[in-house]
Amino acid sequence: MHPYFKNMPGFGKALSDKKKEKALPNRQAIEEVEALIVAEIERVKNAGLPAEMVHKRGQMTIWDRIEYLVDPGTFRPLHTIYNPKQNEEGTTGVVDGLGKIDGKWCVVAGFDNKVMAGAWIAGQAENQLRITDLAKRLHIPLVWLVNCSGVKLTEQQEVYADRRGNGTTFFRHAELEKLGIPILAGIYGTNPAGGGYQGISPTYLIAHKDCNIAVGGGGIVGGMSPKGGFDVEGAEQLIEATRHFKEVPPGSINIHYNATGFFKEVHDTEQGVLDAIKKHMAQMPSYDLDFFRVDEPKDPAFPAEDLYTLMAFNQKLSYDFEECLARLVDGSEQMEFRAGYGPEIYCGLVKLSGLAVGVIGNRQGFLPAGYPAYAEGAYQGIGGKLYREGLIKMNEFVTLCGRDRVPIIWFQDTSGIDVGDIAEKAELLGLGQSLIYSIEQTDVPQMLVVLRKGTAAAHYVMGGPTANNHNVFTLGTPTTEIYVMHGETAAAASFSRRLVKEKDAGKDLQPVIDKMNALAQEYYDKSRPGYCAIRGFVDEVVKYKDLREYMVAFTEAAYQNPRSICPHHHMMVPRLIKG
């Protein structure tokens, strides 16, 4: 199939110095948001104990461990500022992302031993489930760096129980193993109770000499006979038990290497544990990516820095989606699917690291006259909104990518699906749900970038994070905003009847207007990139210049050990494009 994929049609054009200069205020606005996100990331990295204090104990921090473990320059962090429960620690206490170890992609995750010795804290469970979902959807190994002191007992109700509590992770580990996805664990420190199960549930356990895993820690074992209260005698017994177990914690190397044999290996140094993980990652199942490549990897023909000029920070301004895409894909080459049909949507095949990928994105600006045809001239179509042809085209393309086993990257900048009786007669409600069905039955890994707006039902149907079985991760950008509708629209919908009532009663409208403005401002504040990342609406906010790195990581990971294969000479999408 090399005649189809090598030297695909090029697209994009170089930016003039004049255009770059004119866009400097736009670039500055974008970089200001990026600086805010960087500050939040640094806050999370500095949470808990100072790194110097951990180093004085002769230990590495989780950030040190990941830096040592992962191939240089390959770590793609996710969920860095995620904190859905807004806990007092300011972090979920887990660090994770995609990274290469010994040349192979894996999901890397570890407990932040600076924050309450890696305890279970509020919001962490949901982060852990996103981690296991990453490994499941990409079908790649999960590497855990376990250093977990168990439940934060003063807030046990926030972490212990619930359908999606911290214990759910152990079932997810079992599910991954059932699917043939290995979990390697490097184990450090004291890991009682929940920490014990964090240590025992992976596939292959590699221990540091000072670590332990146990059903209960010293404090738990010493207090296992409740008497209805505490007295001096009970306190003395607890002191003695605590001293004993501090000296000899349950589940040490002597037990779980020498007696049970749960630990496969024991190493004297922290680096020794990490070196062992590297050795075993070399044994993990994977294809040489050349087996699936359709072309040699190439850099884009245009620099990613151009995105700071091309992407309009002002949400009311349009931009050229294809020009942006040309800065992200190999050779700035593409094959567009059904060009001219459903002009509000771009669908096409591109290459990343020489591998075929499907791309779907919203175009912006005014659409051709007479579109959408079903409106019969009642109104003019505009980019960002979804119409009948665009929804049909996406359904077709998604289904065909599933047939050809091609992973999909979505780019959202959408104001929603067309509304009103004209749109209802054009079956847009049904076509939106049809796209959801197409995504669900397609069964290939999918990634989303919310370039600007993720709005209304369009945020769902265009590969949104609600596509739980297929959306691997969602990236935000400095221009991302996610809401059910614009804040002013929401305020009008919420207070229009109140305005009529107050007007008819001859009352002052200003108090209602004040509430409307307050609601619009709240929508704005709660749709910013940082807020979206903290709440988990996106999995990470990344700089524009780093987008391609995440796209390549996703693509290579998706092809590393796929569950099913379509031979290149059996593919239909390139043939349908060529005709």
Side-chain angles (χ1 to χ4, degrees):
M1 296 291 282
H2 64 86
Y4 287 91
F5 288 105
K6 290 196 173 184
N7 300 315
M8 290 159 50
F11 68 128
K13 56 186 178 181
L15 298 181
S16 67
D17 291 339
K18 184 177 180 180
K19 186 169 186 177
K20 292 178 183 179
E21 184 177 353
K22 185 178 179 180
L24 284 176
N26 186 76
R27 182 186 185 106
Q28 183 179 7
I30 291 171
E31 289 179 337
E32 285 175 0
V33 178
E34 289 184 345
L36 292 174
I37 299 299
V38 168
E40 278 292 288
I41 291 171
E42 287 304 309
R43 177 190 59 77
V44 170
K45 286 186 174 181
N46 291 317
L49 297 175
E52 294 76 15
M53 185 176 295
V54 177
H55 294 155
K56 285 180 181 179
R57 297 173 178 173
Q59 300 171 358
M60 302 169 76
T61 69
I62 181 58
W63 302 98
D64 297 331
R65 291 167 180 167
I66 289 176
E67 183 178 9
Y68 183 93
L69 177 63
V70 173
D71 295 355
T74 68
F75 187 55
R76 306 286 176 258
L78 294 166
H79 316 116
T80 308
I81 64 174
Y82 184 41
N83 185 17
K85 295 289 186 74
Q86 303 286 285
N87 64 34
E88 64 181 2
E89 290 79 16
T91 168
T92 64
V94 169
V95 180
D96 70 275
L98 291 175
K100 278 185 177 180
I101 300 176
D102 198 57
K104 297 180 180 180
W105 287 104
C106 62
V107 180
V108 181
F111 291 89
D112 191 342
N113 53 331
K114 298 192 294 88
V115 179
M116 297 195 68
W120 283 2
I121 53 181
Q124 186 186 103
E126 190 61 43
N127 196 351
Q128 291 202 41
L129 298 183
R130 292 183 183 218
I131 289 166
T132 54
D133 284 347
L134 277 168
K136 178 182 176 181
R137 291 167 189 148
L138 290 171
H139 207 245
I140 58 175
L142 170 56
V143 173
W144 263 113
L145 302 178
V146 180
N147 197 159
C148 176
S149 59
V151 175
K152 181 182 179 182
L153 294 175
T154 55
E155 295 182 3
Q156 61 85 25
Q157 76 281 0
E158 297 293 336
V159 299
Y160 168 66
D162 200 352
R163 187 177 184 88
R164 296 175 67 84
N166 277 65
T168 310
T169 302
F170 315 142
F171 286 86
R172 293 295 180 88
H173 286 173
E175 179 188 17
L176 292 180
E177 290 160 339
K178 182 184 74 172
L179 296 171
I181 300 170
I183 309 163
L184 303 178
I187 306 174
Y188 301 92
T190 300
N191 302 277
Y197 280 94
Q198 291 284 170
I200 196 63
S201 55
T203 313
Y204 195 98
L205 313 184
I206 304 166
H208 181 258
K209 66 180 179 65
D210 296 330
C211 84
N212 75 299
I213 56 174
V215 174
I220 296 173
V221 175
M224 286 293 283
S225 300
K227 300 176 181 178
F230 293 96
D231 54 23
V232 174
E233 180 183 358
E236 293 289 351
Q237 292 174 352
L238 186 58
I239 290 169
E240 187 61 31
T242 301
R243 284 175 173 165
H244 169 73
F245 286 115
K246 186 175 182 181
E247 293 175 6
V248 187
S252 65
I253 297 301
N254 186 49
I255 299 296
H256 288 315
Y257 181 71
N258 296 332
T260 67
F262 292 165
F263 294 147
K264 294 283 190 177
E265 305 175 26
V266 176
H267 295 271
D268 291 337
T269 66
E270 292 208 20
Q271 291 87 346
V273 173
L274 301 172
D275 288 336
I277 292 174
K278 294 180 183 182
K279 178 184 74 174
H280 293 297
M281 270 299 299
Q283 302 165 348
M284 295 297 103
S286 68
Y287 287 84
D288 187 316
L289 291 177
D290 282 345
F291 186 79
F292 292 111
R293 284 194 166 103
V294 294
D295 198 356
E296 293 298 318
K298 306 173 187 175
D299 290 330
F302 311 103
E305 289 288 335
D306 286 355
L307 292 170
Y308 294 83
T309 297
L310 292 166
M311 277 301 307
F313 186 80
N314 185 338
Q315 297 280 346
K316 295 179 181 179
L317 298 179
S318 63
Y319 58 92
D320 189 322
F321 171 71
E322 278 98 323
E323 286 293 336
C324 295
L325 186 62
R327 273 70 186 170
L328 297 170
V329 300
D330 285 16
S332 302
E333 300 173 7
Q334 56 94 33
M335 287 191 285
E336 185 177 355
F337 176 77
R338 298 201 71 176
Y341 183 82
E344 76 272 24
I345 290 294
Y346 171 89
C347 294
L349 288 178
V350 302
K351 295 170 290 186
L352 289 164
S353 187
L355 301 160
V357 182
V359 166
I360 303 172
N362 301 103
R363 289 191 172 104
Q364 305 301 314
F366 289 107
L367 301 176
Y371 187 84
Y374 63 78
E376 298 180 337
Y379 50 83
Q380 175 66 37
I382 56 172
K385 193 175 287 293
L386 305 184
Y387 302 98
R388 178 183 174 88
E389 287 185 11
L391 287 164
I392 289 172
K393 181 164 71 171
M394 287 189 285
N395 270 282
E396 291 177 331
F397 189 68
V398 166
T399 302
L400 288 166
C401 284
R403 183 211 174 275
D404 288 358
R405 314 318 296 157
V406 174
I408 300 170
I409 299 179
W410 299 79
F411 290 88
Q412 280 191 17
D413 184 359
T414 175
S415 56
I417 300 174
D418 193 17
V419 297
D421 281 343
I422 293 175
E424 294 303 324
K425 288 180 182 178
E427 304 181 284
L428 268 62
L429 179 63
L431 285 169
Q433 182 60 35
S434 296
L435 182 52
I436 289 173
Y437 183 87
S438 295
I439 291 169
E440 189 62 29
Q441 65 82 39
T442 292
D443 200 25
V444 293
Q446 301 180 30
M447 166 188 162
L448 169 64
V449 180
V450 184
L451 280 177
R452 290 203 308 190
K453 295 182 295 295
T455 309
H459 180 54
Y460 294 163
V461 305
M462 291 190 66
T466 42
N468 283 189
N469 293 325
H470 304 293
N471 175 279
V472 177
F473 57 84
T474 295
L475 295 181
T477 72
T479 48
T480 293
E481 54 184 45
I482 299 174
Y483 38 56
V484 68
M485 62 184 72
H486 192 278
E488 292 179 20
T489 307
S494 300
F495 290 99
S496 58
R497 292 184 179 181
R498 174 65 66 85
L499 283 172
V500 172
K501 185 177 179 180
E502 299 297 283
K503 179 69 174 179
D504 290 346
K507 294 183 179 180
D508 183 7
L509 299 182
Q510 194 58 49
V512 180
I513 293 172
D514 290 343
K515 290 180 180 179
M516 294 175 71
N517 285 323
L519 181 60
Q521 184 62 47
E522 183 179 359
Y523 262 64
Y524 178 84
D525 294 340
K526 293 183 177 179
S527 63
R528 298 305 88 205
Y531 184 86
C532 291
I534 290 170
R535 289 295 303 272
F537 304 162
V538 299
D539 293 296
E540 192 81 356
V541 176
V542 302
K543 297 179 179 180
Y544 276 122
K545 62 184 179 182
D546 295 335
L547 270 178
R548 177 175 160 85
E549 294 180 351
Y550 278 84
M551 293 165 63
V552 169
F554 161 80
T555 303
E556 290 187 348
Y559 277 103
Q560 180 170 289
N561 188 30
R563 289 175 293 176
S564 59
I565 296 169
C566 176
H568 290 160
H569 54 286
H570 294 175
M571 292 176 70
M572 287 304 302
V573 176
R575 290 177 168 125
L576 288 167
I577 292 172
K578 185 175 181 180

